[in-house]
């Protein structure tokens, strides 16, 4: 009984202490409660702010490659997920910034997937020159006005294959042919056909070459090279549109494209046809220039690709796992929409 009495006495003492604590200890008012909760909220806010600043510091210290990848991801999320739009991968407006992280093979993949995909369907077309698989033939879309007896054709790069040029003359166009590599002097081939011992280049120069022949001997060569806008001015065609500009310049297009785009001559060209040359072992910069030129042709000038024809005389090359198998050369035919006839 003694233990029980002691326990009950202790319990009574604790109850008294509890009563006294509740009665006399200063309670927290509602205002104090709000202040206390506000302080805790402010503390959490400060911690969050510090975390955000640390995150910014980490991002600021991130490599340019990381920043570019983040931009690409943000662009994809914005367009595809938020706006439910289609988008090229990589986004075209971030392509320049991606140069340091994209590979040569990936540039080729973008080229084959986007830049070489026709976007216009021609309603009426004719073929001039040799028919495939022979080389030298090109297609003309008549959705733009190509009027016999007044049309103009520039044919740059002949290599002694006159089939296209001859058919263009038969159609009724004035044809101007250019090639510094076939050993012919300037001359008039027929009433509506002129030849110039001249090449297309990104500047007006006299180019000198030191060649090695197959037998081991060396010989010197000289080419007169001019820009496309210079040629147009030389022929007094500045007040006339060019119905078709065709060029096959064996890989030098990566040099002349930027100058042609910058000069604005393509604003006066109804149709632009050329053979695009790509090599498996070409440099990243060269391939990049080609892709950017085609992007500019489409976006800035509005040209639409209406026909793409791979060169069937060469076997496909392996451009890598991403890009796949493709021939090195493609004949591309582009149309300038501002010259398309109404109703087409």
């Amino acid at each position: 009984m003694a233990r029980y009495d002691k326990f009950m006495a202790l319990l009574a003492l604790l109850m008294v202490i509890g009563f006294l604590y509740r009665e006399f200890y200063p309670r927290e008012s509602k205002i104090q409660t709000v202040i206390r909760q506000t302080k805790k909220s402010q503390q959490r806010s400060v911690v969050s702010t510090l975390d955000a600043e640390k995150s910014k510091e980490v991002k600021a210290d991130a490599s340019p490659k990381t920043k570019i990848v983040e931009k690409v991801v943000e662009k994809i999320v914005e367009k595809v997920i938020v706006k439910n739009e289609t988008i090229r991968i990589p986004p075209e407006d971030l392509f320049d910034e991606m140069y340091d992280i994209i590979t040569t093979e990936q540039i080729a993949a973008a080229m084959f997937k986007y830049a070489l995909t026709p976007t216009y369907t021609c309603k009426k077309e004719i073929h001039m020159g040799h028919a495939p698989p022979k080389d030298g033939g090109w297609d003309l879309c008549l959705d733009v006005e190509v009027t016999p007896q007044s049309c103009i054709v520039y044919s740059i790069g002949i290599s002694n294959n006159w089939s296209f040029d001859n058919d263009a003359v038969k159609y009724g166009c004035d044809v101007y042919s250019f090639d510094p590599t076939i050993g012919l002097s300037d001359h008039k081939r027929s009433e509506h056909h002129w030849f110039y011992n001249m090449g297309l280049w990104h500047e007006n120069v006299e180019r000198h070459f030191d060649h090695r022949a197959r037998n081991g001997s060396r010989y010197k060569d000289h080419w007169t090279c001019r820009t496309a806008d210079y040629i147009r001015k030389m022929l007094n065609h500045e007040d006339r549109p060019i119905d078709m500009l065709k060029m096959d310049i064996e890989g030098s297009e990566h040099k002349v494209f930027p100058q042609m785009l910058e000069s604005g001559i393509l604003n006066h060209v109804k149709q632009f046809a050329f053979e695009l040359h790509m090599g498996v072992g070409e440099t990243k910069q060269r391939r990049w220039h080609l892709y950017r030129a085609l992007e500019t042709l489409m976006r800035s000038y509005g040209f639409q690709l209406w026909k793409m024809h791979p060169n069937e005389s060469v076997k496909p090359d392996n451009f890598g796992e991403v890009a796949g198998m493709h021939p090195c050369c493609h004949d591309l035919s582009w149309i300038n929409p501002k010259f398309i006839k109404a109703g087409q």
Side-chain angles (χ1 to χ4, degrees), residues 245-313:
L245 171 55
K246 179 236 69 172
M247 68 181 197
D248 184 358
I249 52 179
E250 304 304 327
S252 294
E253 57 270 13
H254 77 285
K255 278 284 190 181
V256 305
F257 272 152
Q259 193 281 329
M260 293 178 72
L261 294 167
E262 183 179 352
S263 71
I265 187 175
L266 293 175
N267 283 317
H268 310 285
V269 174
K270 296 181 180 181
Q271 297 187 63
F272 184 29
F274 56 88
E275 184 170 45
L276 181 70
H277 300 79
M278 291 177 58
V280 171
E282 67 188 354
T283 65
K284 178 179 180 179
Q285 185 180 37
R286 174 189 170 103
R287 189 170 291 173
W288 182 265
H289 283 165
L290 285 176
Y291 184 87
R292 298 307 290 132
L294 296 180
E295 282 284 293
T296 303
L297 185 67
M298 291 184 286
R299 291 211 310 268
S300 299
Y301 282 85
F303 274 78
Q304 291 184 272
L305 182 67
W306 70 273
K307 177 159 285 191
M308 189 280 290
H309 180 72
N311 191 322
E312 298 177 5
S313 64

Side-chain angles (χ1 to χ4, degrees), residues 37-53:
Q37 292 175 346
T38 302
K39 285 182 178 180
K40 286 185 177 181
S41 176
Q42 288 175 341
Q43 288 174 348
R44 288 194 295 267
S45 177
V46 170
V47 171
S48 298
T49 303
L50 290 174
D51 288 341
E53 290 300 322

Side-chain angles (χ1 to χ4, degrees), residues 103-135:
T103 66
T104 307
E105 179 186 340
Q106 288 168 335
I107 298 172
M111 179 93 74
F112 291 125
K113 187 171 183 180
Y114 302 121
L116 302 187
T117 302
T119 57
Y120 179 81
T121 302
C122 181
K123 309 298 187 300
K124 183 180 181 181
E125 62 183 90
I126 59 173
H127 185 81
M128 294 181 176
H130 291 316
K134 285 187 176 181
D135 201 13

Side-chain angles (χ1 to χ4, degrees), residues 139-264:
D139 297 296
L140 187 68
C141 181
L142 298 182
D143 291 0
V144 300
E145 195 69 52
V146 183
T147 307
Q149 281 70 59
S150 66
C151 50
I152 296 175
V153 173
Y154 288 3
S155 178
I156 303 172
I158 309 301
S159 190
N160 283 312
N161 186 336
W162 302 93
S163 61
F164 167 78
D165 305 59
N166 292 338
D167 281 356
V169 171
K170 292 176 183 177
Y171 181 83
C173 295
D174 287 338
V175 179
Y176 301 85
S177 305
F178 302 84
D179 198 321
T181 70
I182 56 179
L184 296 178
S185 301
D186 296 355
H187 66 279
K188 189 172 182 177
R189 291 176 56 81
S190 66
E191 184 180 357
H192 295 282
H193 192 185
W194 294 262
F195 172 80
Y196 292 89
N197 182 27
M198 183 182 294
L200 182 65
W201 200 234
H202 66 284
E203 57 183 343
N204 300 317
V205 294
E206 304 296 321
R207 302 186 67 195
H208 299 272
F209 301 90
D210 188 9
H211 296 288
R212 181 184 295 276
R214 291 182 179 179
N215 61 8
S217 62
R218 304 191 71 87
Y219 67 96
K220 295 185 180 297
D221 203 354
H222 165 261
W223 294 353
T224 296
C225 296
R226 299 291 185 263
T227 62
D229 54 310
Y230 178 97
I231 291 172
R232 183 171 180 244
K233 184 176 181 180
M234 177 188 78
L235 297 175
N236 296 316
H237 292 157
E238 291 179 290
D239 60 344
R240 299 176 62 185
I242 301 168
D243 291 88
M244 185 169 184
L245 171 55
K246 179 236 69 172
M247 68 181 197
D248 184 358
I249 52 179
E250 304 304 327
S252 294
E253 57 270 13
H254 77 285
K255 278 284 190 181
V256 305
F257 272 152
Q259 193 281 329
M260 293 178 72
L261 294 167
E262 183 179 352
S263 71

